[in-house]
């Protein structure tokens, strides 16, 4: 029989699947003797059962009764009793942190009677009624579905009527009046009174937290972060401790290192006389954590000791929530903290240098996505800029965009191609869509642990918070600075997530120091040398990145090449550490001035006409390859023979028809146009992407592919004579049958031999094929007999497997597919492992079985996607190929994939007793 409820003293940190991250870590802190309020966790199993059936498990009520009774016995009072009430919080807690996306309700157990008891035992009627109004608003919003704004507007109106700056300026009579107003809002919305039975409050709150797993914002966040939808959330029932009992009480959030930069020190926010949600919501601007030391040195020193204990225990930067209740420190939560990309790299290397983790573990803690963020441009320090405000840099980066003042506008403007900055007084979970759409987020309230800061860091969005010089008026869609500058919706602003600076107008950007460092490292082969070229605090970051990249290159099994079509692209790829070119497309080489010559090849009426046109193309094509082979000297270059649809080289059918018709209407004859029109009509295709392209061009138009093979061979021969070491590989595209490849291969070998004889240079190049249609994959064993290498074209493989035309479907219905959960991400961004991935795996396996020296790579856009790289490593591909800029990302992820495989093997070995 399932056990649905666990006391904090029963679990541990390894049980996040069952207890959720919050519950597992509360149990862990309890086990190591930290001051955690008593409580228990309802498991994710119970949540999943409820979500599947619409009913909670039959055993759950009894288990809650049992654990609630134990909690009441430990605390010496019962839930909501009139004279001395036990109050509890009900908090969500999924396996993976989802800050602000699900629900929390504080002060469960308060009602019209127990509020008087709370007054008596606390000695503060203001505190008691403040706690009661918080319960009604949180319960109303979370459990009863009342719009949050209804409660917020009532509070703001009361403060306005009283002339109060904040809720600290309100007295007990104000809170009593607010309780009455809030009750009226609940009655108006639901038709029923606010529930007075404490256990009824608890049961409803638990089910509301279960249901919050499937709110729109939770689904959007999971989609953004790649969190599975079937995990469910645990629910934590915790005895309340109060930070709003007076000036000797308070609440805060702290980090054992700076989550924005990774620097060591004391970081966090503190609010005296407040409850925890006040800090996260950004309702009041917080004090720095050091302010607690000035007010309560005993609690502050104890907190610093606990922070050190937790970091050593978890061997990572920790995010901690705490409350001080009349001088007594309580730990409410800890978790491995979300951090920016820069912080991730800095902290990983710091922990290595401190002896807490090794370099392998450091690699596991950084991602290719984070590295890509560090490679983005930053503001040019020399650029002109007009600073209008300064807040706290919560998530670094340089963001420029038009100011918008709500989530809806951010989504709408971004959808039409505008870069936007979302400006809010403070964000809440309902702003998530806008935060995803925006280039950056700017708030006038909140601190580094506010909702905006935490979510932005997790998503890698540039963010500035607490810019209190701004007076944000969302209704008027504008803000005004203390210096009198007005910014209206649509005005261009820029924010620096590192310094917290806010600028009006555009600000120029420059290349990232991380890109400079990666280029220097590739050029010198030394992480130390790359670091020495950087000054100031960037040196620590550069040192971390280059040391981890150095270890990544030593660790990874899989090679990384680049997709590059020009000498400049090839040189850039080499500078980023590519071990060759995995895809050199030749289509663009035949456009521009050469397009007319290709047209002559296609429409030629005789062999002589075709040969004459091909001869014109040979010299420029040879020059193309000379430049690329020279840039990649000593490294392989996979040249894909001509692949585009035939119509790209022919005049537009409609335009040509109009030209002929106009000539006829004038009584004239345009023989050239008329002849060309007949040829274009003959070659016209209804679906060109599945028509005359790839290997079919080479077979149907004599000499076209052989022209390219000859140009490759002549370029290689010339470079060999110069003492260079070109390594071309010839790839035949869109093969579906081994006989297609066999014919082209035979002709190519003959052409290469002819060039070798003509030049007196020994030439021998690998010849392979691009596997990009399902039939080729399903006959890979046969094709391997004629191919020395395979390169998977996963873009076309995705189109042909799904039956999609990428250009048509991505805008047409992909957003709906993602919203409905059919996709979690576009299959053109991350490989569809279950469908396309299975086809690739079968083809790779059968190809290797037929030819054990077969080299297998992938050259679609998936080659630079972190998740896809891990899959390709898992099926033993030899290399991935991606755009030059993504080469460092692929190098890092290939190493992490190697470590993943080692970890999986070790786990299997341990579980079957063979360790």
């Amino acid at each position: 029989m399932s056990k649905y409820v666990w006391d904090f003293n029963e679990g541990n940190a390894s049980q996040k699947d069952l207890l959720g991250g919050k519950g597992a870590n509360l149990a862990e802190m309890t086990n190591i003797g930290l001051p955690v309020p008593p409580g228990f966790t309802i498991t994710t199993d119970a949540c999943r059962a409820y979500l599947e059936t619409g009913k909670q498990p039959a055993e759950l009520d009894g288990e809650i009764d049992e654990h609630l009774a134990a909690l009441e016995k430990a605390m010496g009072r019962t839930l909501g009793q009139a004279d001395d009430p036990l109050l509890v919080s009900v908090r969500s807690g999924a396996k993976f942190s989802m800050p602000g996306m699900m629900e929390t309700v504080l002060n469960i157990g308060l009602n019209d009677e127990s509020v008087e008891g709370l007054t008596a035992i606390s000695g503060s009627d203001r505190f008691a009624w403040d706690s009661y109004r918080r319960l009604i608003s949180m319960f109303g919003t979370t459990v009863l579905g009342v719009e949050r704004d209804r409660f917020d507007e009532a509070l703001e109106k009361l403060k306005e009527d009283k002339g109060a700056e904040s809720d600290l300026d309100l007295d007990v009579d104000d809170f009593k009046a607010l309780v009455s107003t809030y009750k009226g809002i609940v009655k108006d919305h639901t038709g029923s009174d606010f529930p007075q039975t404490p256990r009824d409050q608890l049961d409803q709150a638990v089910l509301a937290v279960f249901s919050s797993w499937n709110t729109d914002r939770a689904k959007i966040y999971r989609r953004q972060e790649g969190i599975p939808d079937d995990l469910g959330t645990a629910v934590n029932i915790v005895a309340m401790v109060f930070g709003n009992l007076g000036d000797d009480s308070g609440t805060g959030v702290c980090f054992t290192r700076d989550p924005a930069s990774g620097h060591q020190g004391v970081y966090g926010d503190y609010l005296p006389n407040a409850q925890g949600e006040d800090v996260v919501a950004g309702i009041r601007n917080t004090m720095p954590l050091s302010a607690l030391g000035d007010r309560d040195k005993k609690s502050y020193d104890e907190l610093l000791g606990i922070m050190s204990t937790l970091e050593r225990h978890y061997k990572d930067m920790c995010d901690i929530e705490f409350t001080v209740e009349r001088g007594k420190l309580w730990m409410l939560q800890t978790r491995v903290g979300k951090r920016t990309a820069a912080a991730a790299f800095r902290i990983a290397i710091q922990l290595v240098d401190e002896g807490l983790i090794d370099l392998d573990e450091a690699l596991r803690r950084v991602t290719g996505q984070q590295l890509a963020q560090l490679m983005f441009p930053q503001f040019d320090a020399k650029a002109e800029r007009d600073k209008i405000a300064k807040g706290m840099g919560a998530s670094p980066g340089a963001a420029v965009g038009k100011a918008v003042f709500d989530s809806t506008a951010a989504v709408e403007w971004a959808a039409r191609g505008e870069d936007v900055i979302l400006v809010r007084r403070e964000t809440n979970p309902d702003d998530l869509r806008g935060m995803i759409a925006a280039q950056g987020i700017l708030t006038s309230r909140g601190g580094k642990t506010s909702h905006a800061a935490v979510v932005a860091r997790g998503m890698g969005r540039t963010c500035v918070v607490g810019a209190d010089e701004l007076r944000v008026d969302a209704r008027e869609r504008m803000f005004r600075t203390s210096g009198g500058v007005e910014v209206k919706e649509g005005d261009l602003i820029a924010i620096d997530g590192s310094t917290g600076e806010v600028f009006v107008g555009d600000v120029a950007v420059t290349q990232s120091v991380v890109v400079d460092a990666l280029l220097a490292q590739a050029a010198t082969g030394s992480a130390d040398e790359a670091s020495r070229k950087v000054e100031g605090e960037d040196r620590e970051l550069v040192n971390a990145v280059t040391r981890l990249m150095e270890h990544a290159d030593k660790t990874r099994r899989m090679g990384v090449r680049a997709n590059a079509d020009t000498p400049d692209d090839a040189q850039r790829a080499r500078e980023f550490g590519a071990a060759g070119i995995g895809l050199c497309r030749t289509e663009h080489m035949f456009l521009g001035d050469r397009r007319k010559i290709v047209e002559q090849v296609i429409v030629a009426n005789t062999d002589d006409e075709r040969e004459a046109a091909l001869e014109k193309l040979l010299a420029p094509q040879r020059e193309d390859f000379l430049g690329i082979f020279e840039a990649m000297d000593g490294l392989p270059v996979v040249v894909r023979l001509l692949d585009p649809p035939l119509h790209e080289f022919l005049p537009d059918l409609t335009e040509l028809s109009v030209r002929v018709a106009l000539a006829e209407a004038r009584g004239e004859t345009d023989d050239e146009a008329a002849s060309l029109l007949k040829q274009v009509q003959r070659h016209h295709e209804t679906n060109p992407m599945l028509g005359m392209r790839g290997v079919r061009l080479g077979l149907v138009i004599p000499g076209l592919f052989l022209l390219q093979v000859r140009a490759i061979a002549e370029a290689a021969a010339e470079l060999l004579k110069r003492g260079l070491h070109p390594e071309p590989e010839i790839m035949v595209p869109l093969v579906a049958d081994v006989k297609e490849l066999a014919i082209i291969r035979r002709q190519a070998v003959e052409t290469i031999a002819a060039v070798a004889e003509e030049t007196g240079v020994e030439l021998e190049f690998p010849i392979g094929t691009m596997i990009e249609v399902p039939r080729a994959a399903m006959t890979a064993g046969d094709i391997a007999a004629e191919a020395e290498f395979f390169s998977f074209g996963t873009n076309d493989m995705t189109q042909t497997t799904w039956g999609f035309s990428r250009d048509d479907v991505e805008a047409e219905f992909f957003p709906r597919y993602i919203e409905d959960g059919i996709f979690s991400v576009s299959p053109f961004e991350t490989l569809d492992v279950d469908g396309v991935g299975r086809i690739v795996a079968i083809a790779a396996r059968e190809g290797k079985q037929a030819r054990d020296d077969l080299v297998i790579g992938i050259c679609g856009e998936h080659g630079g996607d972190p998740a896809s790289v891990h899959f390709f490593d898992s099926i033993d591909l030899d290399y991935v190929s991606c755009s030059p800029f993504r080469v460092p990302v692929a190098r890092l992820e290939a190493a992490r994939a190697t470590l993943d495989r080692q970890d999986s093997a070790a786990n299997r070995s341990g579980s079957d007793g063979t360790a």
Side-chain angles (χ1 to χ4, degrees), residues 554-572:
K554 293 175 182 176
T555 302
R556 61 185 168 89
R557 177 198 63 81
M558 197 161 52
V560 177
R561 300 185 188 181
N563 301 340
D565 310 333
T566 67
D568 286 346
D569 285 347
Q571 184 60 39
R572 191 65 161 173

Side-chain angles (χ1 to χ4, degrees), residues 148-194:
R148 185 192 312 268
D149 289 347
R150 296 284 303 276
F151 298 111
D152 291 346
E153 288 168 3
L155 176 59
E156 290 300 317
K157 185 177 186 305
L158 178 61
K159 288 195 292 186
E160 186 178 319
D161 292 345
K162 288 273 295 187
E165 284 285 324
S166 77
D167 52 2
L168 290 179
D169 301 319
L170 302 178
D171 59 27
V172 63
D173 291 331
D174 297 323
F175 285 130
K176 286 181 177 180
L178 205 54
V179 165
S180 178
T181 301
Y182 282 5
K183 284 182 177 179
I185 292 171
V186 169
K187 181 71 176 281
D188 180 57
H189 180 84
T190 66
S192 302
D193 292 326
F194 178 76

Side-chain angles (χ1 to χ4, degrees), residues 51-304:
L51 295 176
E52 289 169 8
T53 65
K55 298 183 294 184
Q56 67 180 39
E59 307 95 326
L60 185 57
D61 263 343
E63 290 191 47
I64 292 176
D65 286 340
E66 177 186 339
H67 287 79
L68 181 59
L71 176 60
E72 291 172 333
K73 183 177 180 181
M75 298 298 292
R77 53 190 191 271
T78 61
L79 182 68
Q81 72 183 49
D83 59 338
D84 185 7
L86 167 65
L87 305 182
V88 299
S89 62
V90 178
R91 297 173 179 266
S92 62
K95 176 182 179 179
F96 299 106
S97 176
M98 296 171 56
M101 295 304 112
M102 293 181 294
E103 305 297 1
T104 291
V105 185
L106 306 180
N107 307 327
I108 290 287
L110 274 178
N111 56 26
D112 293 347
E113 291 183 357
S114 59
V115 69
E116 301 294 352
L118 187 61
T119 296
I121 63 166
S122 67
S124 172
D125 52 0
R126 182 190 183 281
F127 153 72
W129 285 91
D130 179 26
S131 299
Y132 194 15
R133 66 96 184 175
R134 290 171 184 268
L135 168 64
I136 298 171
S137 64
M138 296 181 79
F139 192 94
T141 300
T142 297
V143 180
L144 303 177
V146 183
E147 289 184 9
R148 185 192 312 268
D149 289 347
R150 296 284 303 276
F151 298 111
D152 291 346
E153 288 168 3
L155 176 59
E156 290 300 317
K157 185 177 186 305
L158 178 61
K159 288 195 292 186
E160 186 178 319
D161 292 345
K162 288 273 295 187
E165 284 285 324
S166 77
D167 52 2
L168 290 179
D169 301 319
L170 302 178
D171 59 27
V172 63
D173 291 331
D174 297 323
F175 285 130
K176 286 181 177 180
L178 205 54
V179 165
S180 178
T181 301
Y182 282 5
K183 284 182 177 179
I185 292 171
V186 169
K187 181 71 176 281
D188 180 57
H189 180 84
T190 66
S192 302
D193 292 326
F194 178 76
Q196 294 291 305
T197 305
R199 180 57 193 271
D200 188 28
Q201 294 175 4
L202 177 63
D203 290 342
Q204 289 190 57
V206 168
L207 296 184
V209 172
F210 283 164
S211 297
S212 71
W213 176 257
N214 279 334
T215 59
D216 285 344
R217 67 177 184 240
K219 290 178 180 178
I220 293 167
Y221 186 87
R222 289 199 295 273
R223 204 155 58 225
Q224 177 76 12
E225 298 297 312
I227 298 172
D229 282 327
D230 58 357
L231 299 180
T233 180
V235 182
N236 301 286
I237 314 297
V238 190
M240 282 295 304
V241 291
F242 298 97
N244 58 333
L245 272 167
D247 287 341
D248 61 350
S249 304
T251 189
V253 178
C254 59
F255 298 88
T256 56
R257 301 177 194 234
D258 186 349
S261 68
H263 294 316
Q264 294 170 285
V266 177
Y267 296 93
D269 298 321
Y270 180 69
L271 268 180
N273 199 15
Q275 287 196 313
E277 293 302 302
D278 296 342
V279 177
V280 176
I283 293 169
R284 285 158 49 194
N285 279 349
T286 56
M287 297 179 176
L289 187 63
S290 56
L292 174 60
D294 300 331
R295 306 171 72 94
D296 183 352
K297 190 171 188 311
K298 173 178 172 294
S299 295
Y300 181 70
D301 289 345
E302 184 183 1
L303 177 63
L304 293 185

Side-chain angles (χ1 to χ4, degrees), residues 821-837:
I822 298 170
F823 300 151
S824 59
V825 65
S826 164
F828 293 108
E829 293 177 27
T830 295
L831 190 78
D832 159 33
V833 170
D834 296 331
V836 178

Side-chain angles (χ1 to χ4, degrees), residues 521-718:
Q521 182 181 27
T524 64
S526 167
D528 291 339
E529 185 65 28
S531 299
R532 277 196 288 271
K533 294 178 179 292
V534 181
E535 297 180 354
E537 68 172 26
D538 286 334
R539 177 174 289 183
E540 184 185 13
L541 173 60
V542 164
N543 175 61
V545 172
T546 53
R547 283 175 63 187
L548 285 171
M549 291 303 295
E550 187 174 67
H551 188 64
D553 288 336
K554 293 175 182 176
T555 302
R556 61 185 168 89
R557 177 198 63 81
M558 197 161 52
V560 177
R561 300 185 188 181
N563 301 340
D565 310 333
T566 67
D568 286 346
D569 285 347
Q571 184 60 39
R572 191 65 161 173
R574 188 165 197 147
E575 289 170 350
F576 274 127
I581 292 179
L583 174 63
C584 174
R585 308 173 187 88
T586 57
E587 296 82 73
H588 80 280
M589 301 175 185
F590 292 92
L591 299 176
D593 294 339
R594 304 181 200 176
R595 183 186 165 282
K596 188 69 176 175
I597 305 175
V598 179
E599 177 187 308
Q600 293 169 7
V601 172
I602 295 169
V603 302
N605 291 311
T606 66
D607 291 344
D608 289 343
E609 288 179 4
R610 182 178 300 108
E611 290 296 331
L614 288 170
E615 186 63 31
K616 295 177 188 176
L617 291 171
L618 179 60
Q621 177 81 128
R622 183 171 57 242
E623 289 300 315
D624 294 328
F625 294 132
L626 279 169
I628 293 170
F629 296 164
E630 187 169 2
M632 298 303 289
D633 185 46
L635 297 176
V637 177
V638 176
V639 179
R640 183 178 72 184
L641 302 181
L642 204 59
D643 185 43
L646 196 63
H647 75 276
E648 292 189 12
F649 296 112
L650 294 175
D652 181 79
L653 176 62
T654 302
E655 291 179 4
L656 203 55
S657 299
V658 169
R659 178 179 160 188
V660 171
L662 288 174
E664 290 176 350
R666 293 191 300 267
E668 301 171 358
T669 301
D670 188 335
D671 292 335
E672 179 188 4
S675 174
L676 193 54
L677 177 61
K678 290 180 181 178
Q679 290 279 16
V680 172
Q681 288 173 331
R682 182 167 69 84
H683 290 295
H684 176 70
E685 296 175 308
T686 302
N687 190 343
M689 293 304 292
L690 296 179
M692 182 69 77
R693 55 172 289 216
V695 68
R696 301 156 198 169
L697 276 175
L699 290 170
V700 174
I701 300 179
L704 186 57
F705 273 12
L706 300 186
L707 156 80
Q708 293 190 285
V709 173
R710 172 169 280 277
I712 291 167
E714 290 182 358
E718 182 175 331

